[in-house]
Amino acid sequence: MTMIALWAAACGLVLFCSSRSGVEGIGVNYGLIGDNLPSPDKVVSLYIAHNITDVRLFHPDTAVLDALRGSGLGVVLGTLNSDLAPLASDASYAASWVASYVAPYASSVRFRYINAGNEVVPGEGSEHILEAIKNLESALSAAGLGNGDGPVRVTTAVATSVLGASFPPSHGAFSDAAMPVMAPLVSYLAERGSPLLVNAYPYFAYAADPASVPLDYALLSPSAAPAVTDDDGVQYVNMFDAIVDAVHAAVEKVTGSGQGVELVVSETGWPSGGGGYGASVENAAAYMNNLVRHVGSGTPRRPGKAVETYIFAMFNENQKPEGVERYFGLFQPDMTEVYHVDF
């Protein structure tokens, strides 16, 4: 029963690294909700200096895109959730979006994915995601920048709240509320060979029920062995793998086991402060370094296949809500490390 409680907590909440052939490096989300953050050119230099190979932007920012020119960093570019409706209903709006934020930079910025919306499913606006993806693909194709079969893939990012069942991982399934959107979406992504982005945070499951969720299991600590979860003989020694494989199982229930969709962990992190249970510099450093060492080895459901993963986030952001939300950064706004991560 404690493991069921663990999964109820984990999957009621919300998982990026760059991988073309195995894990090439770890990506980091670049948030901008702060009034004391360094200039974008300094931030890009900080990424490069720390061997961070990829960056995820939650929405277009032309100053950041200008700073990324010639950097070699892989870029995941998000749309605003509020743009989903016009992107879905108006092909000219999608064409204008691509003309403003992708085409002018494409010769010198290495775009990897466009993610249409973040954590919209299930909820208001989620019905627009698939048509927004299709219109963005058409706009990219018209601009000579790929149409889903080319270099720039279009997808969306979901939280693990899209799951209605998740324990054990092989029983993973989309919820009744999410299924009307997720079933056609993942089928389309499978046809296009595009990934699904997933945000997953073992921290929140641990903080919600620390009596039931072993800290070492949440931190991907080697000392979590022997396995905390046994799924019909498949052993899970950390929550990260279990969450990812639960989403794999949900996708396969829609697409069939022979046609999966690659999962990209677009956010995962651990707060270093803010007063939340287990939020400390020590735990955050342990989680991040264990994660960086682990993602190249795959999950029990996908052994040996690196999990493309983006850490949340680059900086502590002082205009986020008070509490742990302000303390997910790897760096302070003055660009000093909150703790060291060996990239």
Side-chain angles (χ1 to χ4, degrees):
M1 292 298 292
T2 58
M3 289 304 296
I4 293 173
L6 179 162
W7 277 95
C11 293
L13 300 149
V14 287
L15 250 222
F16 227 96
C17 105
S18 174
S19 171
R20 260 67 74 191
S21 56
V23 171
E24 172 176 299
I26 298 289
V28 180
N29 288 265
Y30 177 10
L32 296 166
I33 307 177
D35 61 8
N36 57 352
L37 299 176
S39 62
D41 60 319
K42 292 180 179 177
V43 175
V44 170
S45 295
L46 189 64
Y47 271 75
I48 295 169
H50 286 268
N51 299 315
I52 302 167
T53 62
D54 292 73
V55 55
R56 179 185 179 214
L57 306 176
F58 291 95
H59 58 82
D61 184 290
T62 55
V64 175
L65 290 169
D66 281 332
L68 286 164
R69 291 182 186 272
S71 67
L73 296 176
V75 178
V76 179
L77 180 61
T79 74
L80 293 169
N81 290 346
S82 58
D83 280 341
L84 287 173
L87 285 169
S89 63
D90 186 352
S92 66
Y93 189 93
S96 177
W97 194 94
V98 169
S100 297
Y101 303 123
V102 183
Y105 304 95
S107 64
S108 55
V109 173
R110 186 165 62 87
F111 290 107
R112 299 204 54 226
Y113 312 126
I114 306 296
N115 71 270
N118 184 55
E119 297 185 357
V120 180
V121 187
E124 183 178 355
S126 60
E127 69 274 13
H128 301 305
I129 291 174
L130 184 52
E131 290 306 313
I133 288 173
K134 291 178 179 179
N135 281 343
L136 285 167
E137 286 183 343
S138 295
L140 288 166
S141 180
L145 300 171
N147 62 356
D149 296 318
V152 185
R153 304 284 182 177
V154 187
T155 181
T156 192
V158 299
T160 50
S161 54
V162 297
L163 297 177
S166 54
F167 180 81
S170 63
H171 291 195
F174 294 121
S175 69
D176 290 343
M179 183 63 84
V181 173
M182 294 305 298
L185 174 62
V186 299
S187 295
Y188 183 78
L189 295 177
E191 292 173 6
R192 306 300 278 175
S194 297
L196 175 67
L197 310 189
V198 182
N199 301 337
Y201 289 89
Y203 166 73
F204 288 113
Y206 170 73
D209 192 4
S212 300
V213 182
L215 178 59
D216 285 345
Y217 186 68
L219 291 176
L220 293 91
S221 173
S223 61
V228 174
T229 300
D230 188 295
D231 185 0
D232 293 330
V234 178
Q235 295 186 331
Y236 287 86
V237 296
N238 66 76
M239 184 179 286
F240 179 93
D241 284 354
I243 291 174
V244 173
D245 277 355
V247 182
H248 275 304
V251 167
E252 290 168 7
K253 286 179 175 62
V254 172
T255 63
S257 59
Q259 187 182 28
V261 173
E262 182 180 355
L263 299 184
V264 171
V265 175
S266 39
E267 293 178 33
T268 189
W270 196 287
S272 61
Y277 195 93
S280 69
V281 171
E282 179 182 10
N283 285 344
Y287 180 77
M288 292 306 185
N289 283 286
N290 289 338
L291 179 79
V292 170
R293 286 189 290 265
H294 174 72
V295 291
S297 61
T299 68
R301 203 174 184 92
R302 297 288 190 278
K305 180 173 175 54
V307 182
E308 189 174 349
T309 304
Y310 276 74
I311 287 170
F312 184 85
M314 195 65 172
F315 296 103
N316 286 338
E317 298 169 63
N318 68 352
Q319 292 182 314
K320 287 199 161 190
E322 290 189 12
V324 297
E325 290 290 332
R326 295 187 178 186
Y327 293 91
F328 275 87
L330 304 178
F331 296 90
Q332 302 287 4
D334 65 2
M335 300 197 298
T336 57
E337 291 182 334
V338 177
Y339 50 86
H340 181 69
V341 177
D342 185 5
F343 289 104

